[in-house]
Amino acid sequence: LIRVFSDVLSVSSGIASQARFTVTAATLNPPDTASTAGINVPVTAYAFDRFGNPVPDGTSVSFVTECGGIGNGAGGPSGACQTSTGQCTVNWISQPNAQRECSASRSTILAYVLGEEDFDDNDSDAYFTVPTGACTAPADGTCDAWDAPSQDNSEPFLDENEDGQQNTPEFFIDSNEDGTWDEETPDGVDVDNIAGITGPNYNGAACTDDEDDSNGTYNADYDCFNELLYVYDEVVIVTQPSESSALEFELLDAARAPVTGADPLITTGQSYIFTLWLESAGVESVPAFGTTISVSGQDDCEILGLDSTTVGNSNAQARWELPFTVVAADNPTGAGSVTVDWQTPSGSPAQQIYS
């Protein structure tokens, strides 16, 4: 008698879950992309099922961008990539001065794949199950085991102005072919196109069959469809100039008010806190990744504490800041100045002197 035992049990749906589908860019503020064509920025999609397992190898993820281009360095079809161990990568390619330019120097990239909506599996049975009737006694815990949708997907769209809504002429996938963007799971998204069903609670493989063939894949008891829909995510790349002179800066006092005039007043023997703001010209966003900023004191002026910073990997709609403290000499010689220097990764140094 031979007995074989296995302690390895795999639980998987193999279908991308909205809650576990993400897209990232290797550099969010890549240098030179506002002035040089052909710069490649790797963009990676990650797709896992609701149990955290990778989707099957070869699952195709599609990409759309508002400016620049999408290329597949692996030799597959442009605008898409095929997963391996739950991830795949394309390149966003810079294209300045094209007729289709980046709005406010920001390029939104949309990635999408067929998958299922997320839900809270409170009863841990791996299915979307909800008792019929209303939850009448939530306080005593009788409703705690009810499954609930954690997100009702809209139709995927390219959010160019980053306002969370699809606005004309922003690209969207018209799942139900009604000519309009649906903010929630659209009516008739199922292939059976059953009349009278509006915005089900859940769309995905965890919706069980209610044995009512007249409803097709719709489960009337749980208000769900056993069908897939597109899951999606977006990432924004901020295109950046090459030259340091293309950046704008502003000096603020301790009250964060702009310093007026070329030379701030510093009294002998006193210390003053300033903040330097630096941003891409005309756009309130951080400068290019790797841009350096420093301040130095000469003669009667000394910089106390932090005196330099390097711009990190960020697409924040904010200025990069360097707070610093200037200490004036107790016995001044009559000469003193503060020098601010900044430089993009491939640009010439820029400088401002306060004396």
Side-chain angles (χ1 to χ4, degrees), residues 37-351:
I39 294 176
N40 286 256
V41 179
V43 177
T44 302
Y46 300 87
F48 298 87
D49 66 19
R50 64 179 181 271
F51 302 106
N53 298 296
V55 298
D57 287 357
T59 297
S60 184
V61 180
S62 299
F63 295 80
V64 177
T65 182
E66 67 177 286
C67 63
I70 298 292
N72 188 336
S78 295
C81 62
Q82 289 67 50
T83 62
S84 174
T85 325
Q87 56 188 284
C88 66
T89 300
V90 296
N91 287 320
W92 178 86
I93 305 170
S94 65
Q95 192 184 23
N97 302 318
Q99 185 174 357
R100 176 70 166 173
E101 293 186 323
C102 297
S103 175
S105 297
R106 299 175 70 83
S107 177
T108 304
I109 302 168
L110 169 70
Y112 59 96
V113 66
L114 276 175
E116 60 183 3
E117 291 176 322
D118 183 39
F119 69 96
D120 296 324
D121 188 18
N122 295 320
D123 56 4
S124 302
D125 67 350
Y127 294 100
F128 183 79
T129 51
V130 180
T132 57
C135 175
T136 57
D140 64 9
T142 58
C143 303
D144 290 350
W146 289 24
D147 291 348
S150 60
Q151 180 171 353
D152 194 7
N153 278 30
S154 71
E155 291 177 316
F157 69 103
L158 187 66
D159 192 10
E160 297 182 18
N161 63 358
E162 303 175 55
D163 69 347
Q165 298 287 318
Q166 191 276 336
N167 303 283
T168 303
E170 290 175 339
F171 167 86
F172 74 98
I173 298 176
D174 191 9
S175 302
N176 58 348
E177 300 181 355
D178 66 350
T180 61
W181 175 72
D182 293 292
E183 188 171 1
E184 297 180 351
T185 303
D187 306 343
V189 72
D190 65 308
V191 294
D192 302 293
N193 222 3
I194 304 167
I197 298 175
T198 59
N201 281 327
Y202 167 74
N203 286 266
C207 179
T208 58
D209 186 1
D210 65 356
E211 299 182 357
D212 183 354
D213 292 338
S214 66
N215 282 341
T217 60
Y218 178 69
N219 185 319
D221 292 334
Y222 302 151
D223 190 21
C224 62
F225 273 119
N226 186 276
E227 291 191 9
L228 304 184
L229 78 176
Y230 285 112
V231 299
Y232 63 97
D233 192 27
E234 291 182 330
V235 65
V236 175
I237 287 176
V238 185
T239 61
Q240 299 289 338
S242 299
E243 286 302 319
S244 305
S245 58
L247 302 181
E248 295 179 348
F249 74 96
E250 189 171 27
L251 188 65
L252 308 178
D253 62 20
R256 299 186 72 83
V259 173
T260 58
D263 304 316
L265 178 63
I266 299 178
T267 305
T268 299
Q270 300 295 312
S271 64
Y272 292 83
I273 298 175
F274 295 96
T275 300
L276 179 69
W277 274 358
L278 195 67
E279 65 179 0
S280 293
V283 183
E284 188 173 316
S285 66
V286 297
F289 176 68
T291 297
T292 58
I293 313 167
S294 63
V295 293
S296 58
Q298 292 80 40
D299 299 322
D300 292 343
C301 295
E302 177 186 358
I303 306 300
L304 184 65
L306 184 67
D307 62 2
S308 64
T309 183
T310 301
V311 177
N313 190 16
S314 173
N315 60 8
Q317 290 181 292
R319 297 159 172 170
W320 196 262
E321 294 189 5
L322 172 61
F324 61 95
T325 301
V326 178
V327 179
D330 289 330
N331 300 302
T333 62
S337 61
V338 173
T339 301
V340 178
D341 295 281
W342 66 94
Q343 186 173 7
T344 59
S346 61
S348 302
Q351 187 179 85

